[in-house]
Amino acid sequence: MHRLSVAPMMDWTDRHCRYLHRLITRHTLLYTEMVTTGALIHGDVARHLRYHAEEHPVALQLGGSEPADLAHCARLAEQWGYDEVNLNCGCPSERVQRGAFGACLMAEASLVADGVKAMLDAVSHVPVTVKHRIGIDRIESYEFVRDFVGTVSEAGCKVFIVHARNAWLKGLSPKENREIPPLRYEMVYRLKQEFPGLTIAVNGGITLNEQVQAHLEQVDGVMVGREAYHNPWVMADWDYRFWGAEPSGLTREDVERLMCDHMAREQAEHGTPWHTMARHMLGLRNGLPGARRWRQVWSDHRLRAHTPHEVMALAHAGAEAASPV
């Protein structure tokens, strides 16, 4: 299941984004945005956990550190039918740190282990996984991440998704934390060598299918983040190339039309404005003639009173007019 996945990305990988991605790839594992335990315990559970049946396989990523709270939320995930529960030990934002979870948890491996054990005890069949960095701040020794994985695996975690960068807890923004600390894939490869019985997936800076293939020769899985969001058609041949499955046969236009159906349905049933869903597919025509004009039409706030299908027709007319003859 972890051979290929799309990363959890705050404000991006909501259920509408995942619906789009599932139209393009049927087998890739999709992750929710990180949902905090507090939001589930004190907030609107349905708003955070509702998803479309078509999204499977789909994993819920949790942010939290209290074992009892994590156990409660893992139980909710199982009740709602998620295929996996993932604990975030990699987010470096200061807001997340104030909640005492995310990347700062790597300094408290025993607490993470307690949380994992509590979640596993609370569910009957849903796997519990951990996503983390290779280190925090200036701790760059392999032994640090090795000991973290070793401690947490003893609690029963069998799957680790490793962002191959350190997280600097002070001085860098979340965006800078995705770009400035150097990528060190060899650290992740070494984890797989030392823990052959665990499933180890690599994440960070992966943009090309050739890179995915190269990583799969070293580890069990690859998680792709921003490239899958900004250039979703990169996933069009994943089912065939990495899963050995027949391609769906859908064209970009087919996917766009099906998204229009989805947006119209969501607007009618839940009152969700279509433009809040359409933003996820603005990269769908990257590289095609007229793509810039197509994006401009889909982003035009003056068209929000139109139906999604009407906007699609206008976007294609605009793209055609803007394309070189």
Side-chain angles (χ1 to χ4, degrees), residues 13-165:
T13 51
D14 63 17
R15 59 193 181 89
H16 310 298
C17 174
R18 299 192 304 270
Y19 189 90
L20 168 69
H21 289 177
R22 184 57 73 222
L23 291 171
I24 301 171
T25 171
R26 290 167 294 166
H27 297 279
T28 301
L29 176 61
L30 304 178
Y31 281 79
T32 68
E33 306 168 86
M34 181 185 68
V35 181
T36 66
T37 54
L40 287 180
I41 293 170
H42 305 294
D44 184 341
V45 171
R47 182 172 72 85
H48 291 294
L49 296 189
R50 182 159 55 95
Y51 62 93
H52 309 92
E54 295 88 346
E55 292 176 40
H56 289 291
V58 59
L60 172 67
Q61 187 183 64
L62 291 175
S65 59
E66 290 295 328
D69 293 348
L70 289 168
H72 174 81
C73 294
R75 199 174 297 114
L76 285 174
E78 184 170 65
Q79 291 167 0
W80 278 77
Y82 280 89
D83 299 293
E84 173 187 324
V85 185
N86 177 265
L87 178 60
N88 184 325
C89 294
C91 181
S93 83
E94 290 191 10
R95 179 169 61 89
V96 166
Q97 290 181 55
R98 286 195 295 272
F101 56 94
C104 62
L105 283 177
M106 288 197 70
E108 300 185 68
S110 60
L111 178 60
V112 175
D114 290 344
V116 165
K117 185 178 186 308
M119 286 191 282
L120 286 168
D121 288 345
V123 298
S124 58
H125 62 271
V126 178
V128 174
T129 68
V130 171
K131 185 173 187 293
H132 60 95
R133 298 282 186 127
I134 55 173
I136 51 176
D137 295 324
R138 303 293 179 172
I139 302 173
E140 298 186 347
S141 71
Y142 168 74
E143 288 71 25
F144 176 78
V145 67
R146 179 203 63 194
D147 292 349
F148 175 84
V149 169
T151 298
V152 177
S153 66
E154 288 174 1
C157 183
K158 303 301 182 187
V159 179
F160 294 82
I161 301 112
V162 190
H163 188 152
R165 282 187 174 95

Side-chain angles (χ1 to χ4, degrees), residues 188-251:
V188 188
Y189 299 166
R190 192 172 170 187
L191 284 173
K192 180 58 189 176
Q193 293 165 4
E194 187 151 352
F195 299 97
L198 299 178
T199 295
I200 304 291
V202 66
N203 169 235
I206 301 162
T207 60
L208 302 173
N209 287 338
E210 291 74 17
Q211 293 173 314
V212 173
Q213 189 65 58
H215 286 305
L216 287 174
E217 294 172 6
Q218 303 288 338
V219 292
D220 303 296
V222 175
M223 175 180 277
V224 179
R226 276 149 181 79
E227 184 68 14
Y229 187 86
H230 290 306
N231 186 26
W233 201 246
V234 73
M235 299 183 282
D237 68 345
W238 281 7
D239 288 350
Y240 175 75
R241 184 165 181 169
F242 300 116
W243 298 100
E246 286 298 313
S248 71
L250 295 178
T251 65

